[in-house]
Amino acid sequence: MTSSNDKGAQQASGRPSRGAIKAVRGTRDLLPDETPLWNRVEAVARAVFARYGFGEIRTPVFEATELFARGVGEETDIVSKEMFTWEDRARAASEKAQSLTLRPESTAGVVRAYIEHKMGETGALQKLYYIGPQFRRERPQRGRYRQFWQIGAEVIGPTSSGAESPVRDAEVLEMLSTLLDELGVRGWRLELNSVGNAEDRALYNMALREALAPVKDKLCPDNQRRAETNPLRVLDSKDEQDQEIINGLPKIADYLSEESREHFAQVRAALDACGVDYHVNPRLVRGLDYYTRTTFEFTVQTGLGTQNALLGGGRYDGLSEMLGGPKAPGIGFAIGEDRLILVLQEQAKQDAEAAGAAPGEPKLDGYVAPLGAAQNAPALALARALRREGLSVEVGDGAFKLRKSFDIADKVARAIVLLGEDEVASGVMTVKMFATGEQVKVPRAELGGRLRAR
Ligand code: HAM
């Protein structure tokens, strides 16, 4: 017996057989039984974004490495350990060798595009959304992948467009609550914080550095380094043993300027007015360096285990300047689409269990079964006509026995249309509706209406 990885084995073609190639660790295929839910989620998101005046932006999947180093921050986990980066060789005299990176997030790319296309010069507030894959070399587990999808949005513009107003923050958060409700996500929780402006952050970083100095030796090596270079990052460390020290560190709320405090109070007041629930979490500093003032995450308990952050975001008032652009305050978020899907699947399973039924699969309107090989061509022609009428239809094969056609049809469609010599001659089809078991003769002209009826 030869195994597929038997080096000596020869295939019929004469070439040595090799092991089957698998998807790369942390990446997945989304198969047709899953993609309808992905498409529904994206359609609902697009519809909600349209109602709030957002337009779609599509930026490249790879960018100059420097964009993320400057935008997201050298000391963040994302930039220091998780990026897929390569040195791109020059292939022509007109090209330069450069370091490129698969985007680990999209905010930096969107702000780069905002600067590059001088979108601020219109004077108008820009409301942009995106849906697409992101790449981070993380340890894969349920809800955490190396290629994952985000549905995100950014609101950015010159100060005169009102981009800095707390109303914008509250509107983005209120929109998210509407989107999650319309998607049917239950039990979400909004965690909210303010990390202050650049000066508040500098003061707070100093206080953290001071508080960390005497206990530094007790921290894990990563946190020891961060305590020196970027102490704020110690706060989002997941190291178990360091949590006690982290819990005792000063809180950002005590270092906010009057202005930042007031901005945050107005965000909360607007959320209160809209009836959107939130929980202030003073530890929520987020893992990216560009954040200023409002930061937030939406969490859910169902279906995600430890990866319970469904989405995250916040304000980034200095990011455009960090990337060489004009002053352009902004706020945005990104939903982890893979996680959103896991939550919806888990909730659908719970609902089905409570109702004592298996989660229903969408079925086609009809299955056209040719009775004998001679009916294959007329069956395909009938299916073509029905599909052009907007119906979803599958066609069988005249070589199948009647029993087999019925078995397949019952699995994939709500009705079977039998097409024998008589039916083709008379133009009257035999149709069986599976839900009721009813079998009827239907003239061709009425077939579409009959299959459509539920
Ligand atoms: P983030 O918190 O890094 O923020 O990612 C946002 C969401 O993406 C997370 O809450 C999570 O649901 C999902 N996510 C992150 N990493 C993974 C992964 N490895 N596998 C699956 N899902 C993942 C950002 O990316 C910011 N750009 C958000 C933003 C937009 N802030 C302002 N504007």
Side-chain angles (χ1 to χ4, degrees):
M1 212 172 84
T2 49
S3 73
S4 61
N5 56 10
D6 184 343
K7 285 208 179 93
Q10 298 279 309
Q11 283 177 326
S13 67
R15 276 191 246 124
S17 82
R18 295 193 241 167
I21 296 171
K22 297 226 172 90
V24 173
R25 182 168 146 83
T27 70
R28 334 179 268 154
D29 302 306
L30 301 173
L31 303 181
D33 61 342
E34 267 199 282
T35 44
L37 182 55
W38 285 73
N39 287 326
R40 183 178 80 79
V41 161
E42 290 168 17
V44 172
R46 286 177 196 281
V48 170
F49 292 151
R51 286 194 336 249
Y52 284 76
F54 283 77
E56 184 177 2
I57 183 165
R58 300 189 189 198
T59 61
V61 164
F62 56 88
E63 300 265 5
T65 304
E66 198 193 345
L67 174 71
F68 305 113
R70 272 210 255 162
V72 176
E74 302 264 15
E75 262 305 315
T76 58
D77 277 357
I78 295 178
V79 174
S80 65
K81 349 184 172 153
E82 295 170 359
M83 297 206 301
F84 290 93
T85 297
W86 70 100
E87 281 306 309
D88 203 44
R89 283 176 289 139
R91 295 197 57 185
S94 58
E95 287 181 358
K96 273 198 264 163
Q98 61 176 336
S99 176
L100 300 179
T101 291
L102 286 180
R103 63 180 183 202
E105 61 102 55
S106 282
T107 309
V110 170
V111 176
R112 178 205 43 74
Y114 170 91
I115 299 167
E116 192 165 332
H117 301 286
K118 302 188 173 31
M119 292 168 92
E121 287 182 12
T122 61
L125 191 67
Q126 301 295 316
K127 295 172 116 179
L128 308 163
Y129 81 87
Y130 51 85
I131 299 177
Q134 319 289 331
F135 306 85
R136 296 183 193 176
R137 194 187 281 106
E138 295 196 75
R139 200 166 45 77
Q141 61 182 80
R142 185 178 163 82
R144 197 206 280 157
Y145 311 99
R146 293 186 170 180
Q147 173 173 336
F148 59 99
W149 270 258
Q150 283 186 341
I151 301 178
E154 313 293 346
V155 180
I156 179 168
T159 310
S160 59
S161 69
E164 221 168 333
S165 162
V167 177
R168 299 277 76 89
D169 308 43
E171 187 184 31
V172 160
L173 291 163
E174 177 276 309
M175 175 173 81
L176 278 167
S177 77
T178 299
L179 175 56
L180 295 184
D181 287 346
E182 287 192 16
L183 285 167
V185 176
R186 294 189 299 261
W188 53 260
R189 179 181 155 101
L190 163 55
E191 311 245 353
L192 192 63
N193 193 23
S194 172
V195 294
N197 59 27
E199 294 85 66
D200 306 343
R201 291 267 293 272
L203 279 179
Y204 182 53
N205 261 321
M206 229 148 66
L208 281 181
R209 209 169 261 131
E210 263 169 38
L212 284 166
V215 289
K216 221 184 81 189
D217 296 344
K218 301 202 186 98
L219 297 170
C220 72
D222 267 354
N223 280 337
Q224 289 194 16
R225 198 194 62 241
R226 291 181 187 127
E228 297 268 327
T229 53
N230 190 349
L232 199 66
R233 293 279 72 87
V234 174
L235 292 184
D236 40 53
S237 156
K238 298 189 180 76
D239 190 285
E240 296 273 325
Q241 266 148 41
D242 291 354
Q243 294 308 310
E244 210 182 298
I245 296 180
I246 293 171
N247 284 333
L249 291 173
K251 304 260 182 304
I252 181 88
D254 299 327
Y255 294 82
L256 295 186
S257 61
E258 193 45 45
E259 201 190 5
S260 299
R261 234 182 268 270
E262 180 56 25
H263 192 276
F264 193 38
Q266 286 187 35
V267 175
R268 282 179 289 150
L271 287 175
D272 291 339
C274 294
V276 176
D277 275 348
Y278 55 85
H279 302 265
V280 175
N281 173 358
R283 283 266 313 261
L284 188 74
V285 293
R286 310 258 309 125
L288 300 90
D289 277 354
Y290 51 61
Y291 289 113
T292 53
R293 300 201 267 197
T294 313
T295 52
F296 57 87
E297 278 180 8
F298 281 66
T299 58
V300 276
Q301 288 316 315
T302 328
L304 289 184
T306 49
Q307 305 301 308
N308 69 350
L310 188 56
L311 69 94
R315 185 165 269 292
Y316 43 84
D317 293 341
L319 179 56
S320 174
E321 291 100 310
M322 258 147 58
L323 300 178
K327 184 168 162 61
I331 179 160
F333 64 85
I335 304 174
E337 190 176 0
D338 307 73
R339 295 189 188 176
L340 178 57
I341 298 284
L342 281 174
V343 170
L344 290 172
Q345 285 171 335
E346 189 64 32
Q347 293 190 346
K349 211 166 98 198
Q350 285 177 356
D351 289 350
E353 274 164 16
E361 288 195 4
K363 287 199 165 182
L364 300 171
D365 295 319
Y367 181 92
V368 179
L371 307 180
Q375 309 315 324
N376 275 340
L380 190 64
L382 175 63
R384 168 180 156 91
L386 291 170
R387 287 165 173 159
R388 288 191 160 213
E389 288 172 34
L391 291 148
S392 55
V393 170
E394 192 62 272
V395 199
D397 187 324
F400 293 170
K401 296 229 163 62
L402 197 58
R403 177 80 258 143
K404 179 167 173 178
S405 293
F406 267 91
D407 285 349
I408 300 173
D410 195 14
K411 284 201 190 91
V412 302
R414 294 183 298 110
I416 186 168
V417 181
L418 300 173
L419 199 69
E421 218 174 306
D422 290 352
E423 281 84 1
V424 173
S426 67
V428 178
M429 319 289 149
T430 306
V431 179
K432 179 167 179 177
M433 310 300 296
F434 290 118
T436 56
E438 162 195 33
Q439 187 157 318
V440 280
K441 296 273 185 198
V442 183
R444 170 65 189 90
E446 292 167 24
L447 186 58
R450 171 60 80 147
L451 292 180
R452 215 169 256 127
R454 307 235 157 196

